[in-house]
Structures are given as C-alpha cells and as structure tokens.
Amino acid sequence: MTSNHTDCHYCLQSLCGRKYALRKENAYCIPCYDSLFANPCEECKQPIECDSRDLAYKGRHWHDRCFRCAKCSRSLVEKPFAAKDELLLCTECYSDEYSSKCFHCQKTIMPGSRKMEFKGSSWHESCFVCQYCRQPLGTKPLITKDKENYCLSCFEKQFAHHCYSCKKVITSGGVTYDDQPWHTECFVCAGCETPLVGQRFISKDEYPYCVDCFGKLYAKKCASCKTPITALGSAKFISFEERQWHGECFNCAKCSVSLVGQGFLTQQDDIFCHECGSA
C-alpha cells in the first residue's frame, strides 16, 4: 500500500477512481470494508453498508429504515424512545404498556418526565401538591389524611389537635382523656410526672394523678388503717362524724366483727359492736 491510498489494504486492488473508506489510517474498497467491518442490523440482520447510516444504542445497531417502534412500527429516528426487555418503543406505546398512572389525575406519567413516588403510588410532579394550599410538596415533610396529602402547616391549621398539657400540635398518636387530646409523653401524673399510659390513675380538677400521689395529696385517710381511701380501693367506704373507713376496716375494735350495715357504739376514737360496747 502506498501512502496516498492507491490500493485496498485488504484485497490490494487499485482504488483509483473508486470509493473507499478509511479505518485506522488504512484504506479499504467499499466491498472489503463492508465485509470486514459493517455491523449487522439488529432488526433485519443484514450488514449496515458503508453508504448507509448506522444508528447505535447500547452496543446494538440498526439501519435507518429498521430503527422503528417494536409495537406500532413508527420510525424512531431523531425521536424520543424507551427500551423494555431489549425492545425499542416510542414514548406513546411505552406509556400505554408500562408507564405508571398518576394517583391524582390518573393520566400516564410519560417517560422522561419527573415522577414523585410516595407510599407505593406515583404522581406527576405538578400533581403532588398540598391538598389545601396547592403548593408543590416535592420532598418536604407531609401528612396524609383521607388519602389526601397536606404540608405540615396546612395540616396543623385544618386538622391537628393541640395537646391539653403543652398546647403544641399532636401530629401522630396521642391520648384522649376527658374529651381532651394529650401527647403520650405529656400524659403524666400531675404530682410526680410518672407516665400514666396503661396505668391506673385518678382525676382531680381535670388533671390525672397516679394512685400514690392522689392518695398523698387529696384522699381521706382510713380511721383504722390510716391509708388513703380512693376509688381504686374497696367499692365501699363508711363515713361517720368526719371520719372515714374502708369497708373492710369498719370493724369492732375488740372482736373485729364487721360493722358494715350494723348498729355500733363509739368510745373516744374506737367503734364497737353492741355486745362489746355494752360489756
């Protein structure tokens, strides 16, 4: 081969007056170039000759005329397309077959457009907005109610309850007591601040107290055992002359017989049945 490409690098025939192609600075006649280097078309399996445009996508090649949608056969040359299972599809066919539907408007989310996903559903970016103020939610914190999404500000304005104790918004969970909402962490004994969720408690002036604190602060003391009389103790209690007893403590001071529903006598701070009191 001469430096001015007068002969085909492969068959050595003269290139004078003939078309030729260059590859790595070597000249080839067209037949030799096509047989040695032409890519096979993915569609028709024929070589893509030197005088044809070679359209390539992810290592595969097509003739101009073969670069078409696998479903509707429309040309994809210089048009947007999508690939699925090694098939090329126009955007319309791809959308009909595979694209997600917007949860809000139920229209197809076209390939190439931005898609928002939340709780297993998809939205157009323009549809993923606060139900109240209609501002885009994007990746901002949000709260869902009745299948609608709200930014935190709008949710608080429209739906949120405020804790009876700290007055701040309750965004999730919480406790309802005496028709008032509370944060779980705020529902504590008004005396010792022990958490009361799942525990026994007693109300006083609209605030809850654990049994111990209520007994110490407010409950009457049994004249016999000196422990507080609360609603969580015995169902019965007896009151006489500004003194109170648990039902099970209202017994004769001498023979210990129960005096509940019975006549009794008093002597100083003690109570007696008629028999012991008369002796």
Side-chain angles (χ1 to χ4, degrees), residues 156 160-172 181-183 185-186:
E156 291 177 5
H161 296 292
H162 290 76
C163 176
Y164 184 78
S165 176
C166 71
K167 311 306 179 186
K168 295 180 180 179
V169 171
I170 300 173
T171 58
S172 63
W182 304 62
H183 287 114
E185 61 272 20
C186 291

Side-chain angles (χ1 to χ4, degrees), residues 142-210:
L142 60 93
I143 298 176
T144 300
K145 179 178 174 60
D146 299 331
K147 298 183 179 180
E148 299 289 356
N149 300 319
Y150 298 85
C151 64
L152 295 185
S153 177
C154 288
F155 183 84
E156 291 177 5
K157 291 176 183 176
Q158 296 298 307
F159 305 110
H161 296 292
H162 290 76
C163 176
Y164 184 78
S165 176
C166 71
K167 311 306 179 186
K168 295 180 180 179
V169 171
I170 300 173
T171 58
S172 63
V175 177
T176 299
Y177 166 66
D178 198 21
D179 293 327
Q180 299 292 345
W182 304 62
H183 287 114
T184 301
E185 61 272 20
C186 291
F187 192 62
V188 298
C189 172
C192 66
E193 298 187 352
T194 298
L196 294 178
V197 175
Q199 307 297 319
R200 296 189 302 173
F201 62 89
I202 301 171
S203 175
K204 174 69 175 177
D205 298 330
E206 299 183 355
Y207 285 94
Y209 292 83
C210 67

Side-chain angles (χ1 to χ4, degrees), residues 39-104:
N39 294 306
C41 176
E42 190 75 21
E43 179 64 23
C44 70
K45 309 307 179 185
Q46 298 300 311
I48 304 172
E49 292 93 351
C50 191
D51 59 353
S52 298
R53 185 157 61 149
D54 185 335
L55 299 177
Y57 175 71
K58 290 190 175 180
R60 297 187 292 160
H61 301 264
W62 288 263
H63 290 104
D64 257 20
R65 62 182 180 274
C66 296
F67 197 60
R68 297 177 176 276
C69 173
K71 184 177 181 184
C72 71
S73 298
R74 283 184 290 184
S75 174
L76 298 177
V77 177
E78 297 182 358
K79 293 181 180 178
F81 64 89
K84 180 69 175 179
D85 300 330
E86 297 189 355
L87 296 177
L88 301 184
L89 300 167
C90 65
T91 54
E92 291 81 359
C93 290
Y94 183 88
S95 298
D96 290 343
E97 292 289 331
Y98 304 109
S99 290
S100 303
K101 295 289 192 297
C102 176
F103 184 84
H104 177 73

